[in-house]
Amino acid sequence: MSVPGMRRAAVGLAALAVTALGTVAVNPNQAEAGPKPLDVKLLAINDFHGNLEPPTGSSGTIAGQPAGGAEYLATQLAQLRGTTEEERERTITVAAGDLIGASPLLSAAFHDEPTIEEMNLAGLEFTSVGNHEFDEGSTELLRMQNGGCHPVDGCADGTPFEGAKFQYLSANAFTTATGQPLLPPYGIKKVDGVKVGFIGMTLEGTPQIVSQQGVAGLTFADEAETANKYARILRYQGVETIVVLLHEGGVQNGGGINDCTGFSGPIVDLANRMDPSIDVIVSGHTHTAYNCNINGKLVTSASSFGRLVTDINLQIDRRTGDVLTAKANNVVVTRTVPKDPASTDLINRYKTALGPVADKVVGETTSVITKTQENLYQTGVDANGKPTYQTGESPLGNLIADAQLAATDDEQNAVAAFMNPGGVRADLDAGPVTYAEAFTVQPFANNLVTLDLTGAQLYCMLEQQFTVARVLYASSTVHYVVDPNGTTAAAGVPCSGSRVVRGSLTINGAPVTDAVTYRVTVNNFLAGGGDGFSVLTGGTNLVTGMIDLDAFTAYLTAKSPVSAPALDRIQTTAEVPAA
């Protein structure tokens, strides 16, 4: 928090605590001295993920009520800006990344152009990039900013795409060849003569959770160090009110949307390492809501999918530009407000353009097939004495792995397939499956990659599951046994664990041998080492195949009616009969 006079004094140890936030006040006596403070309002969202239509199920509720939908979000933002011209001029609308990517079909089918256009309508001014802004690569992200038709699909809705009227900020995402930020690192807006600065960043770990094609030619830097660098640059330009828009966050332990209960996560360390000149951190990525004071900084998040707007009110000293007080309130985007007509028109236009594609039936299921992960084995007990588990197989995950093997077993001679759990996004209902439903399950448009792995590499990959705490979904050709009493591989030594029982791994019933090479199919995210599976980057003879969604829909069509696969691909030593 910036402090006039000796405003860079060291922060006391007590300030390092994470607390629920009512109001952060640097020096309450200042409010009474000199000119009346300037009131500035920030309206913040994060992790919208293209949810133009109201999200459904648990994704469409928050704080016990239905919430979200672009038509209601636009209205809520307009109402929060106030009714007078002065109020509106003193309001800045911002976001903390992942506005696009992992989007519902209505947005994703048009490469998220509808969401960019909706954010234009909603009055967004600045946003950080998030990891999902890189899903289709840096060139596509620049097209989102600057406009122009898609190089392959053109302007599919029949109208020109003008790009974002708001500014994407990428202070810590650099073009490796030049060392320069891909997009502007910061933005400044004058409010009644006072400068307000915004630094935008994604999480440094973006390359670990995005396909390697998506971040090719880019380098990502430490968030706190980057923020401090640009805070100094902003102050040199006379900016004393500094806001960081950061696509990284934390989680509460049971608190409400405006609480900071048992708060933890990467944002705590980052906030503690950021310079005292930084006043507010609008965060995201974890899809949770919170309202915190960390090391004298206001730290907020508005959950996800446009269900909340964070209403941040700043009082700024007009003479020095320093923030006197900062307070925030997460406001539910209820569906009781009127729909914004311009947003309704945009949604209807794209629904018409989408045509019959979304409703095309691609297969049928005999019953609900869920993405729910079943417990593999007990790993211990928590502080309350409750059992803790390593999650294992998923009916839908197994089905997708089977589909990916079926798509590559003939042409690429694949004998096994593995699917990452984070790529399975929704359940399949019983009965007919539409293209839109299949898309909701697999929205990332990853390519299948078939590669050679030795048996030793396969064992290493399976051990790595327990280091990164993500159990891959295996095709029906794969079976192996896990020892709950085995050791987890040491950090940096992925093959050193003993969770997977040696000799238990079979493919098509035959034991896997270390020196033998096997053709294995994964998606390009995993092939690039995504989710921490670095051993897969050592695969050879890579062949890139069809989009994962196309493989999935083809399998549903060929095998319908489809039933949930058995969860019998991973056993524990407790389940293995004695010899």
mmCIF file of all heavy atoms in Angstrom, residues 162-204:
data_model
loop_
_atom_site.group_PDB
_atom_site.id
_atom_site.type_symbol
_atom_site.label_atom_id
_atom_site.label_comp_id
_atom_site.label_asym_id
_atom_site.label_seq_id
_atom_site.Cartn_x
_atom_site.Cartn_y
_atom_site.Cartn_z
ATOM 1 N N GLU A 162 -13.410 -7.468 -35.186
ATOM 2 C CA GLU A 162 -12.648 -6.242 -34.968
ATOM 3 C C GLU A 162 -11.607 -6.374 -33.861
ATOM 4 O O GLU A 162 -10.765 -5.491 -33.692
ATOM 5 C CB GLU A 162 -13.602 -5.085 -34.633
ATOM 6 C CG GLU A 162 -14.671 -4.831 -35.688
ATOM 7 C CD GLU A 162 -14.104 -4.333 -37.004
ATOM 8 O OE1 GLU A 162 -12.948 -3.843 -36.985
ATOM 9 O OE2 GLU A 162 -14.784 -4.449 -38.039
ATOM 10 N N GLY A 163 -11.668 -7.455 -33.078
ATOM 11 C CA GLY A 163 -10.727 -7.616 -31.980
ATOM 12 C C GLY A 163 -11.190 -6.930 -30.715
ATOM 13 O O GLY A 163 -12.293 -6.381 -30.635
ATOM 14 N N ALA A 164 -10.336 -6.952 -29.710
ATOM 15 C CA ALA A 164 -10.685 -6.421 -28.393
ATOM 16 C C ALA A 164 -10.538 -4.906 -28.364
ATOM 17 O O ALA A 164 -9.503 -4.362 -28.771
ATOM 18 C CB ALA A 164 -9.797 -7.054 -27.326
ATOM 19 N N LYS A 165 -11.555 -4.236 -27.855
ATOM 20 C CA LYS A 165 -11.456 -2.802 -27.584
ATOM 21 C C LYS A 165 -10.735 -2.562 -26.262
ATOM 22 O O LYS A 165 -10.273 -1.454 -26.004
ATOM 23 C CB LYS A 165 -12.849 -2.182 -27.553
ATOM 24 C CG LYS A 165 -13.578 -2.229 -28.886
ATOM 25 C CD LYS A 165 -14.970 -1.611 -28.778
ATOM 26 C CE LYS A 165 -15.704 -1.691 -30.107
ATOM 27 N NZ LYS A 165 -17.083 -1.135 -30.013
ATOM 28 N N PHE A 166 -10.675 -3.573 -25.426
ATOM 29 C CA PHE A 166 -9.930 -3.501 -24.174
ATOM 30 C C PHE A 166 -8.490 -3.930 -24.435
ATOM 31 O O PHE A 166 -8.167 -4.469 -25.498
ATOM 32 C CB PHE A 166 -10.577 -4.387 -23.107
ATOM 33 C CG PHE A 166 -10.764 -5.826 -23.534
ATOM 34 C CD1 PHE A 166 -9.783 -6.785 -23.302
ATOM 35 C CD2 PHE A 166 -11.940 -6.232 -24.167
ATOM 36 C CE1 PHE A 166 -9.959 -8.107 -23.695
ATOM 37 C CE2 PHE A 166 -12.127 -7.545 -24.565
ATOM 38 C CZ PHE A 166 -11.129 -8.480 -24.339
ATOM 39 N N GLN A 167 -7.627 -3.719 -23.449
ATOM 40 C CA GLN A 167 -6.212 -4.030 -23.622
ATOM 41 C C GLN A 167 -5.804 -5.254 -22.821
ATOM 42 O O GLN A 167 -5.960 -5.300 -21.604
ATOM 43 C CB GLN A 167 -5.341 -2.851 -23.185
ATOM 44 C CG GLN A 167 -3.849 -3.079 -23.391
ATOM 45 C CD GLN A 167 -3.476 -3.310 -24.843
ATOM 46 O OE1 GLN A 167 -3.709 -2.438 -25.689
ATOM 47 N NE2 GLN A 167 -2.911 -4.472 -25.155
ATOM 48 N N TYR A 168 -5.285 -6.270 -23.513
ATOM 49 C CA TYR A 168 -4.622 -7.381 -22.839
ATOM 50 C C TYR A 168 -3.245 -6.929 -22.354
ATOM 51 O O TYR A 168 -2.529 -6.220 -23.069
ATOM 52 C CB TYR A 168 -4.447 -8.563 -23.791
ATOM 53 C CG TYR A 168 -5.566 -9.572 -23.757
ATOM 54 C CD1 TYR A 168 -6.417 -9.740 -24.841
ATOM 55 C CD2 TYR A 168 -5.756 -10.379 -22.638
ATOM 56 C CE1 TYR A 168 -7.440 -10.675 -24.823
ATOM 57 C CE2 TYR A 168 -6.770 -11.327 -22.603
ATOM 58 C CZ TYR A 168 -7.609 -11.476 -23.693
ATOM 59 O OH TYR A 168 -8.608 -12.409 -23.663
ATOM 60 N N LEU A 169 -2.854 -7.372 -21.151
ATOM 61 C CA LEU A 169 -1.562 -7.040 -20.563
ATOM 62 C C LEU A 169 -0.801 -8.329 -20.258
ATOM 63 O O LEU A 169 -1.375 -9.281 -19.721
ATOM 64 C CB LEU A 169 -1.747 -6.242 -19.270
ATOM 65 C CG LEU A 169 -2.556 -4.946 -19.375
ATOM 66 C CD1 LEU A 169 -2.779 -4.352 -17.990
ATOM 67 C CD2 LEU A 169 -1.881 -3.939 -20.295
ATOM 68 N N SER A 170 0.485 -8.357 -20.611
ATOM 69 C CA SER A 170 1.274 -9.585 -20.386
ATOM 70 C C SER A 170 2.682 -9.232 -19.917
ATOM 71 O O SER A 170 3.663 -9.464 -20.607
ATOM 72 C CB SER A 170 1.344 -10.428 -21.664
ATOM 73 O OG SER A 170 2.130 -9.802 -22.660
ATOM 74 N N ALA A 171 2.788 -8.682 -18.728
ATOM 75 C CA ALA A 171 4.078 -8.207 -18.221
ATOM 76 C C ALA A 171 5.107 -9.320 -18.080
ATOM 77 O O ALA A 171 6.307 -9.080 -18.231
ATOM 78 C CB ALA A 171 3.876 -7.512 -16.869
ATOM 79 N N ASN A 172 4.668 -10.545 -17.770
ATOM 80 C CA ASN A 172 5.646 -11.615 -17.520
ATOM 81 C C ASN A 172 5.634 -12.697 -18.591
ATOM 82 O O ASN A 172 6.210 -13.763 -18.400
ATOM 83 C CB ASN A 172 5.439 -12.240 -16.137
ATOM 84 C CG ASN A 172 4.167 -13.065 -16.048
ATOM 85 O OD1 ASN A 172 3.182 -12.778 -16.745
ATOM 86 N ND2 ASN A 172 4.166 -14.070 -15.189
ATOM 87 N N ALA A 173 4.997 -12.433 -19.738
ATOM 88 C CA ALA A 173 5.032 -13.357 -20.874
ATOM 89 C C ALA A 173 5.816 -12.691 -21.996
ATOM 90 O O ALA A 173 5.349 -11.729 -22.602
ATOM 91 C CB ALA A 173 3.616 -13.695 -21.332
ATOM 92 N N PHE A 174 7.025 -13.192 -22.256
ATOM 93 C CA PHE A 174 7.951 -12.545 -23.172
ATOM 94 C C PHE A 174 8.113 -13.354 -24.452
ATOM 95 O O PHE A 174 8.083 -14.587 -24.435
ATOM 96 C CB PHE A 174 9.339 -12.415 -22.528
ATOM 97 C CG PHE A 174 9.365 -11.576 -21.287
ATOM 98 C CD1 PHE A 174 9.146 -12.148 -20.034
ATOM 99 C CD2 PHE A 174 9.605 -10.222 -21.361
ATOM 100 C CE1 PHE A 174 9.180 -11.380 -18.886
ATOM 101 C CE2 PHE A 174 9.635 -9.436 -20.216
ATOM 102 C CZ PHE A 174 9.422 -10.017 -18.981
ATOM 103 N N THR A 175 8.332 -12.662 -25.542
ATOM 104 C CA THR A 175 8.786 -13.301 -26.767
ATOM 105 C C THR A 175 10.265 -13.628 -26.586
ATOM 106 O O THR A 175 11.092 -12.733 -26.397
ATOM 107 C CB THR A 175 8.593 -12.368 -27.973
ATOM 108 O OG1 THR A 175 7.211 -12.028 -28.082
ATOM 109 C CG2 THR A 175 9.051 -13.042 -29.255
ATOM 110 N N THR A 176 10.588 -14.909 -26.590
ATOM 111 C CA THR A 176 11.942 -15.344 -26.246
ATOM 112 C C THR A 176 12.995 -14.695 -27.145
ATOM 113 O O THR A 176 14.060 -14.281 -26.671
ATOM 114 C CB THR A 176 12.041 -16.873 -26.342
ATOM 115 O OG1 THR A 176 11.014 -17.467 -25.530
ATOM 116 C CG2 THR A 176 13.402 -17.374 -25.866
ATOM 117 N N ALA A 177 12.706 -14.576 -28.419
ATOM 118 C CA ALA A 177 13.692 -14.071 -29.370
ATOM 119 C C ALA A 177 14.055 -12.607 -29.122
ATOM 120 O O ALA A 177 15.193 -12.192 -29.376
ATOM 121 C CB ALA A 177 13.182 -14.247 -30.797
ATOM 122 N N THR A 178 13.110 -11.830 -28.633
ATOM 123 C CA THR A 178 13.345 -10.390 -28.458
ATOM 124 C C THR A 178 13.492 -9.967 -27.002
ATOM 125 O O THR A 178 14.016 -8.880 -26.714
ATOM 126 C CB THR A 178 12.202 -9.581 -29.068
ATOM 127 O OG1 THR A 178 10.986 -9.836 -28.337
ATOM 128 C CG2 THR A 178 12.008 -9.940 -30.536
ATOM 129 N N GLY A 179 12.987 -10.793 -26.089
ATOM 130 C CA GLY A 179 13.002 -10.419 -24.681
ATOM 131 C C GLY A 179 11.958 -9.391 -24.320
ATOM 132 O O GLY A 179 11.950 -8.874 -23.196
ATOM 133 N N GLN A 180 11.050 -9.108 -25.256
ATOM 134 C CA GLN A 180 10.026 -8.103 -25.023
ATOM 135 C C GLN A 180 8.695 -8.763 -24.671
ATOM 136 O O GLN A 180 8.384 -9.857 -25.161
ATOM 137 C CB GLN A 180 9.838 -7.240 -26.270
ATOM 138 C CG GLN A 180 11.078 -6.433 -26.642
ATOM 139 C CD GLN A 180 11.487 -5.481 -25.540
ATOM 140 O OE1 GLN A 180 10.677 -4.713 -25.025
ATOM 141 N NE2 GLN A 180 12.760 -5.533 -25.156
ATOM 142 N N PRO A 181 7.874 -8.118 -23.819
ATOM 143 C CA PRO A 181 6.545 -8.670 -23.520
ATOM 144 C C PRO A 181 5.735 -8.869 -24.807
ATOM 145 O O PRO A 181 5.808 -8.052 -25.727
ATOM 146 C CB PRO A 181 5.916 -7.603 -22.624
ATOM 147 C CG PRO A 181 7.070 -6.890 -22.004
ATOM 148 C CD PRO A 181 8.133 -6.870 -23.066
ATOM 149 N N LEU A 182 4.994 -9.963 -24.854
ATOM 150 C CA LEU A 182 4.172 -10.252 -26.027
ATOM 151 C C LEU A 182 3.146 -9.150 -26.261
ATOM 152 O O LEU A 182 2.875 -8.768 -27.401
ATOM 153 C CB LEU A 182 3.465 -11.603 -25.838
ATOM 154 C CG LEU A 182 2.496 -12.021 -26.948
ATOM 155 C CD1 LEU A 182 3.256 -12.332 -28.230
ATOM 156 C CD2 LEU A 182 1.686 -13.237 -26.500
ATOM 157 N N LEU A 183 2.587 -8.651 -25.187
ATOM 158 C CA LEU A 183 1.599 -7.576 -25.200
ATOM 159 C C LEU A 183 2.042 -6.534 -24.180
ATOM 160 O O LEU A 183 2.932 -6.807 -23.365
ATOM 161 C CB LEU A 183 0.206 -8.135 -24.860
ATOM 162 C CG LEU A 183 -0.444 -8.981 -25.964
ATOM 163 C CD1 LEU A 183 -1.389 -10.007 -25.367
ATOM 164 C CD2 LEU A 183 -1.154 -8.098 -26.975
ATOM 165 N N PRO A 184 1.458 -5.349 -24.166
ATOM 166 C CA PRO A 184 1.910 -4.337 -23.210
ATOM 167 C C PRO A 184 1.925 -4.870 -21.779
ATOM 168 O O PRO A 184 1.016 -5.596 -21.365
ATOM 169 C CB PRO A 184 0.879 -3.223 -23.375
ATOM 170 C CG PRO A 184 0.407 -3.358 -24.786
ATOM 171 C CD PRO A 184 0.398 -4.841 -25.055
ATOM 172 N N PRO A 185 2.949 -4.524 -20.998
ATOM 173 C CA PRO A 185 3.036 -5.031 -19.623
ATOM 174 C C PRO A 185 2.116 -4.303 -18.662
ATOM 175 O O PRO A 185 1.733 -4.869 -17.635
ATOM 176 C CB PRO A 185 4.501 -4.795 -19.252
ATOM 177 C CG PRO A 185 4.917 -3.650 -20.126
ATOM 178 C CD PRO A 185 4.159 -3.800 -21.408
ATOM 179 N N TYR A 186 1.777 -3.067 -18.970
ATOM 180 C CA TYR A 186 0.937 -2.300 -18.062
ATOM 181 C C TYR A 186 0.118 -1.282 -18.843
ATOM 182 O O TYR A 186 0.386 -0.998 -20.019
ATOM 183 C CB TYR A 186 1.782 -1.585 -17.000
ATOM 184 C CG TYR A 186 2.761 -0.570 -17.554
ATOM 185 C CD1 TYR A 186 2.374 0.744 -17.810
ATOM 186 C CD2 TYR A 186 4.085 -0.928 -17.818
ATOM 187 C CE1 TYR A 186 3.264 1.675 -18.329
ATOM 188 C CE2 TYR A 186 4.991 -0.001 -18.330
ATOM 189 C CZ TYR A 186 4.571 1.292 -18.589
ATOM 190 O OH TYR A 186 5.448 2.210 -19.106
ATOM 191 N N GLY A 187 -0.889 -0.757 -18.175
ATOM 192 C CA GLY A 187 -1.704 0.309 -18.735
ATOM 193 C C GLY A 187 -1.960 1.354 -17.664
ATOM 194 O O GLY A 187 -1.947 1.051 -16.467
ATOM 195 N N ILE A 188 -2.177 2.579 -18.096
ATOM 196 C CA ILE A 188 -2.442 3.690 -17.175
ATOM 197 C C ILE A 188 -3.727 4.374 -17.605
ATOM 198 O O ILE A 188 -3.934 4.636 -18.791
ATOM 199 C CB ILE A 188 -1.288 4.712 -17.181
ATOM 200 C CG1 ILE A 188 0.031 4.044 -16.776
ATOM 201 C CG2 ILE A 188 -1.605 5.887 -16.252
ATOM 202 C CD1 ILE A 188 1.239 4.944 -16.930
ATOM 203 N N LYS A 189 -4.571 4.664 -16.631
ATOM 204 C CA LYS A 189 -5.774 5.456 -16.902
ATOM 205 C C LYS A 189 -5.830 6.624 -15.934
ATOM 206 O O LYS A 189 -5.634 6.437 -14.727
ATOM 207 C CB LYS A 189 -7.038 4.617 -16.783
ATOM 208 C CG LYS A 189 -8.284 5.439 -17.112
ATOM 209 C CD LYS A 189 -9.531 4.605 -17.271
ATOM 210 C CE LYS A 189 -10.713 5.499 -17.632
ATOM 211 N NZ LYS A 189 -11.952 4.723 -17.844
ATOM 212 N N LYS A 190 -6.091 7.803 -16.475
ATOM 213 C CA LYS A 190 -6.267 8.982 -15.640
ATOM 214 C C LYS A 190 -7.727 9.109 -15.231
ATOM 215 O O LYS A 190 -8.625 9.035 -16.070
ATOM 216 C CB LYS A 190 -5.839 10.241 -16.389
ATOM 217 C CG LYS A 190 -4.366 10.568 -16.292
ATOM 218 C CD LYS A 190 -4.084 11.952 -16.870
ATOM 219 C CE LYS A 190 -2.626 12.323 -16.698
ATOM 220 N NZ LYS A 190 -2.356 13.679 -17.237
ATOM 221 N N VAL A 191 -7.938 9.290 -13.946
ATOM 222 C CA VAL A 191 -9.281 9.519 -13.410
ATOM 223 C C VAL A 191 -9.252 10.864 -12.696
ATOM 224 O O VAL A 191 -8.585 11.009 -11.666
ATOM 225 C CB VAL A 191 -9.705 8.394 -12.443
ATOM 226 C CG1 VAL A 191 -11.118 8.658 -11.932
ATOM 227 C CG2 VAL A 191 -9.622 7.039 -13.128
ATOM 228 N N ASP A 192 -9.938 11.825 -13.274
ATOM 229 C CA ASP A 192 -9.989 13.174 -12.682
ATOM 230 C C ASP A 192 -8.577 13.692 -12.385
ATOM 231 O O ASP A 192 -8.319 14.274 -11.325
ATOM 232 C CB ASP A 192 -10.843 13.149 -11.418
ATOM 233 C CG ASP A 192 -11.429 14.527 -11.079
ATOM 234 O OD1 ASP A 192 -11.303 15.438 -11.924
ATOM 235 O OD2 ASP A 192 -11.995 14.679 -9.984
ATOM 236 N N GLY A 193 -7.661 13.442 -13.323
ATOM 237 C CA GLY A 193 -6.298 13.930 -13.192
ATOM 238 C C GLY A 193 -5.350 13.044 -12.431
ATOM 239 O O GLY A 193 -4.144 13.290 -12.418
ATOM 240 N N VAL A 194 -5.852 11.993 -11.773
ATOM 241 C CA VAL A 194 -5.020 11.073 -10.998
ATOM 242 C C VAL A 194 -4.762 9.813 -11.823
ATOM 243 O O VAL A 194 -5.694 9.222 -12.380
ATOM 244 C CB VAL A 194 -5.689 10.703 -9.664
ATOM 245 C CG1 VAL A 194 -4.870 9.642 -8.923
ATOM 246 C CG2 VAL A 194 -5.854 11.939 -8.797
ATOM 247 N N LYS A 195 -3.507 9.386 -11.882
ATOM 248 C CA LYS A 195 -3.141 8.210 -12.660
ATOM 249 C C LYS A 195 -3.342 6.929 -11.850
ATOM 250 O O LYS A 195 -2.928 6.838 -10.698
ATOM 251 C CB LYS A 195 -1.675 8.300 -13.098
ATOM 252 C CG LYS A 195 -1.367 9.438 -14.060
ATOM 253 C CD LYS A 195 0.120 9.462 -14.385
ATOM 254 C CE LYS A 195 0.467 10.590 -15.343
ATOM 255 N NZ LYS A 195 1.925 10.623 -15.641
ATOM 256 N N VAL A 196 -3.978 5.950 -12.503
ATOM 257 C CA VAL A 196 -4.133 4.610 -11.921
ATOM 258 C C VAL A 196 -3.444 3.641 -12.864
ATOM 259 O O VAL A 196 -3.737 3.609 -14.067
ATOM 260 C CB VAL A 196 -5.613 4.230 -11.740
ATOM 261 C CG1 VAL A 196 -5.733 2.846 -11.105
ATOM 262 C CG2 VAL A 196 -6.341 5.275 -10.907
ATOM 263 N N GLY A 197 -2.503 2.864 -12.327
ATOM 264 C CA GLY A 197 -1.732 1.940 -13.157
ATOM 265 C C GLY A 197 -2.144 0.497 -12.950
ATOM 266 O O GLY A 197 -2.468 0.070 -11.839
ATOM 267 N N PHE A 198 -2.122 -0.281 -14.046
ATOM 268 C CA PHE A 198 -2.502 -1.700 -14.022
ATOM 269 C C PHE A 198 -1.379 -2.524 -14.645
ATOM 270 O O PHE A 198 -0.966 -2.278 -15.774
ATOM 271 C CB PHE A 198 -3.800 -1.927 -14.790
ATOM 272 C CG PHE A 198 -4.977 -1.197 -14.223
ATOM 273 C CD1 PHE A 198 -5.294 0.079 -14.666
ATOM 274 C CD2 PHE A 198 -5.760 -1.776 -13.238
ATOM 275 C CE1 PHE A 198 -6.372 0.777 -14.139
ATOM 276 C CE2 PHE A 198 -6.843 -1.089 -12.700
ATOM 277 C CZ PHE A 198 -7.151 0.192 -13.150
ATOM 278 N N ILE A 199 -0.886 -3.513 -13.888
ATOM 279 C CA ILE A 199 0.120 -4.461 -14.364
ATOM 280 C C ILE A 199 -0.581 -5.799 -14.555
ATOM 281 O O ILE A 199 -1.216 -6.296 -13.624
ATOM 282 C CB ILE A 199 1.269 -4.608 -13.357
ATOM 283 C CG1 ILE A 199 1.916 -3.250 -13.072
ATOM 284 C CG2 ILE A 199 2.308 -5.603 -13.861
ATOM 285 C CD1 ILE A 199 2.840 -3.266 -11.858
ATOM 286 N N GLY A 200 -0.478 -6.399 -15.736
ATOM 287 C CA GLY A 200 -1.183 -7.651 -16.017
ATOM 288 C C GLY A 200 -0.236 -8.810 -16.224
ATOM 289 O O GLY A 200 0.761 -8.695 -16.957
ATOM 290 N N MET A 201 -0.525 -9.960 -15.584
ATOM 291 C CA MET A 201 0.349 -11.137 -15.680
ATOM 292 C C MET A 201 -0.450 -12.425 -15.608
ATOM 293 O O MET A 201 -1.534 -12.473 -15.024
ATOM 294 C CB MET A 201 1.363 -11.144 -14.529
ATOM 295 C CG MET A 201 2.325 -9.980 -14.513
ATOM 296 S SD MET A 201 3.473 -10.094 -13.118
ATOM 297 C CE MET A 201 2.361 -9.730 -11.764
ATOM 298 N N THR A 202 0.119 -13.476 -16.183
ATOM 299 C CA THR A 202 -0.367 -14.829 -15.955
ATOM 300 C C THR A 202 0.575 -15.518 -14.974
ATOM 301 O O THR A 202 1.610 -14.970 -14.589
ATOM 302 C CB THR A 202 -0.445 -15.625 -17.263
ATOM 303 O OG1 THR A 202 -1.061 -16.903 -17.014
ATOM 304 C CG2 THR A 202 0.933 -15.843 -17.871
ATOM 305 N N LEU A 203 0.226 -16.722 -14.554
ATOM 306 C CA LEU A 203 1.097 -17.439 -13.637
ATOM 307 C C LEU A 203 2.373 -17.887 -14.343
ATOM 308 O O LEU A 203 2.354 -18.233 -15.534
ATOM 309 C CB LEU A 203 0.395 -18.632 -13.008
ATOM 310 C CG LEU A 203 0.034 -19.830 -13.876
ATOM 311 C CD1 LEU A 203 -0.099 -21.080 -13.015
ATOM 312 C CD2 LEU A 203 -1.256 -19.604 -14.642
ATOM 313 N N GLU A 204 3.479 -17.858 -13.634
ATOM 314 C CA GLU A 204 4.759 -18.258 -14.215
ATOM 315 C C GLU A 204 4.710 -19.688 -14.726
ATOM 316 O O GLU A 204 5.384 -20.044 -15.697
ATOM 317 C CB GLU A 204 5.875 -18.117 -13.171
ATOM 318 C CG GLU A 204 7.257 -18.431 -13.709
ATOM 319 C CD GLU A 204 8.341 -18.381 -12.640
ATOM 320 O OE1 GLU A 204 7.989 -18.275 -11.440
ATOM 321 O OE2 GLU A 204 9.526 -18.457 -13.001
#
